[in-house]
Amino acid sequence: LRPGIIGWALLDICFAVKQYSEYGHVTNSMWLAILPQLLYAVDALWFESAVITTMDITTDGFGWMLGFGDLCWVPSIYSLQARFLSSCPVQHSALFTALVATLAVVSFLTFRLSNSEKNAFRADPNHPSVRHLEYIETEAGSKLLVSGWWGMARHINYTGDWFFGLAQCLATGFETPMTYFFAAYFLVLLLHRNNRDEHKCRQKYKKDWDRYCERVPYQFIPFIY
Ligand code: NDP
């Protein structure tokens, strides 16, 4: 995780420096693209211990996906927006900047608060920040949250994560589809990941998972899907 995430952040900073050295200023589009990405990198390192409970570690194990993905794919593909802006500077209106920044803030909060809520609940269900939340007991022994963030949709954390990525793509404007590659790729990754996780949970929790799905029928977006 560390080399890939830090490499991504360093590449982003290099592209901003390149833009500054060639054009004499850093555009608002560049800030709009890289500040959220730097925040995501700091978040990943700050909450590093949470990676131990992710599917990559608990189910997938270390192989091609993590080796190539984290070391090569993440820094080179996730920094595409900054790379594009370093040689094609785009300046946005204040309104467009505010709209994209709002999307970034709301989606980041959804991603972070939902993940933190589940981590806090799993670490200590009686902690004051989570003890008011409703949950169902399962025969497998684990408790499944059915209120708070996890009562809205079964993978509300993926929703926040995807819209946060989309905001970074929107930061490049509408000059080329290339800078939207990340949003398309990440959608496929999260949908595939969601299917794998549903399959795993269905096998683990059996009829308790059906009860859970009845209580929380939406997968990503409350009242829509
Ligand atoms: P989650 O953090 O969503 O974990 C899913 C697991 O949580 C389930 O298998 C189940 O595990 C448990 N769980 C599910 N529902 C509940 C509930 N209601 N209450 C309590 N526990 C529940 O999945 P990931 O590990 O896939 O993702 C972690 C984060 O990493 C996400 O925010 C994702 O967006 C992000 N991510 C980012 C990537 C990137 O490239 N930027 C790539 C991949 C992920 P159990 O068996 O313990 O019950």
Side-chain angles (χ1 to χ4, degrees):
L1 178 83
R2 282 185 197 165
I5 291 281
I6 294 170
W8 172 24
L10 285 177
L11 276 175
D12 269 1
I13 293 167
C14 290
F15 288 130
V17 170
K18 177 175 182 284
Q19 190 190 63
Y20 181 79
S21 64
E22 283 185 13
Y23 299 97
H25 66 286
V26 178
T27 56
N28 59 6
S29 57
M30 180 65 93
W31 290 120
L32 207 50
I34 70 167
L35 285 181
Q37 297 187 345
L38 296 178
L39 173 67
Y40 198 82
V42 170
D43 178 274
L45 297 175
W46 189 268
F47 294 99
E48 195 184 49
S49 59
V51 84
I52 300 297
T53 57
T54 61
M55 191 191 300
D56 310 74
I57 306 294
T58 58
T59 315
D60 297 339
F62 190 75
W64 166 258
M65 187 184 81
L66 283 186
F68 175 80
D70 283 349
L71 289 173
C72 182
W73 183 264
V74 167
S76 52
I77 299 296
Y78 288 28
S79 61
L80 268 182
Q81 295 92 351
R83 180 176 179 180
F84 168 78
L85 291 169
S86 70
S87 47
C88 300
V90 176
Q91 193 70 26
H92 295 307
S93 68
L95 177 65
F96 185 81
T97 306
L99 286 175
V100 176
T102 304
L103 177 65
V105 170
V106 172
S107 53
F108 179 77
L109 288 176
T110 305
F111 159 79
R112 172 45 41 224
L113 295 177
S114 57
N115 280 320
S116 292
E117 187 178 72
K118 177 159 68 71
N119 291 342
F121 177 78
R122 278 293 171 85
D124 177 10
N126 293 316
H127 190 272
S129 65
V130 290
R131 70 173 167 221
H132 62 284
L133 295 172
E134 261 187 275
Y135 58 84
I136 56 172
E137 300 272 6
T138 66
E139 279 179 13
S142 313
K143 298 177 167 90
L144 291 172
L145 286 165
V146 291
S147 71
W149 288 101
W150 296 86
M152 290 187 210
R154 298 202 294 276
H155 259 132
I156 194 80
N157 55 342
Y158 287 3
T159 309
D161 207 352
W162 186 77
F163 277 103
F164 191 55
L166 178 68
Q168 294 152 30
C169 300
L170 286 167
T172 62
F174 305 100
E175 308 288 320
T176 166
M178 188 191 76
T179 51
Y180 286 81
F181 174 76
F182 177 75
Y185 142 80
F186 202 38
L187 184 66
V188 173
L189 181 148
L190 291 176
L191 288 175
H192 181 245
R193 204 176 171 91
N194 177 63
N195 286 347
R196 288 196 297 142
D197 194 49
E198 286 274 328
H199 180 69
K200 183 212 94 175
C201 289
R202 197 165 289 285
Q203 294 214 314
K204 178 177 175 182
Y205 293 113
K206 302 189 173 68
K207 62 180 174 19
D208 292 322
W209 191 252
D210 294 331
R211 275 200 303 138
Y212 171 59
C213 292
E214 271 170 34
R215 287 291 303 269
V216 186
Y218 301 102
Q219 300 211 63
F220 300 111
I221 303 178
F223 307 109
I224 297 179
Y225 180 71

